[in-house]
Amino acid sequence: MQSVPLWLDYLEFKKSHDQDVVERNTEGVYKMRDLYEQALASAGLHFTEASKIWGLYRQFEIDLLNSMPDAMNEVSCEFLCLILHLCFFD
């Protein structure tokens, strides 16, 4: 099992240093979602610390939703609902 603090540091690094992610363009959004999925696959079941990764992922999607034009909100809202469901009900 991978280290949750290491994943958290890496995710924060990518959010602040990867140009595509900083600009929130399509490639950057997919890149971060893929990294969150990798982090969750690797450490998402850690008994005491997995919620930190889920929380970062949830906050990323909320921030993304708040920065999008209204036309894109519906798609992102559905994605966020899926994440929240996985986080709290599975």
Side-chain angles (χ1 to χ4, degrees):
M1 182 172 292
Q2 295 288 328
S3 166
V4 172
L6 182 61
W7 269 111
L8 295 173
D9 288 344
Y10 182 64
L11 291 165
E12 287 297 330
F13 175 81
K14 290 298 277 187
K15 281 173 42 179
S16 59
H17 290 89
D18 186 300
Q19 194 61 34
D20 290 326
V21 175
V22 171
E23 293 175 0
R24 293 187 180 182
N25 62 34
T26 303
E27 185 177 331
V29 170
Y30 285 120
K31 191 182 296 185
M32 279 308 296
R33 284 178 176 161
D34 185 51
L35 285 173
Y36 280 116
E37 294 295 328
Q38 288 178 41
L40 289 170
S42 177
L45 297 177
H46 190 281
F47 187 70
T48 59
E49 295 189 358
S51 63
K52 295 175 185 176
I53 297 173
W54 283 108
L56 265 184
Y57 195 4
R58 183 179 61 240
Q59 191 59 51
F60 171 77
E61 289 295 335
I62 289 170
D63 292 344
L64 187 63
L65 180 65
N66 289 333
S67 70
M68 289 183 150
D70 291 337
M72 293 299 294
N73 279 349
E74 185 176 332
V75 173
S76 192
C77 210
E78 289 176 14
F79 196 76
L80 181 59
C81 288
L82 174 63
I83 292 170
L84 291 173
H85 179 76
L86 290 173
C87 186
F88 293 111
F89 300 110
D90 282 350

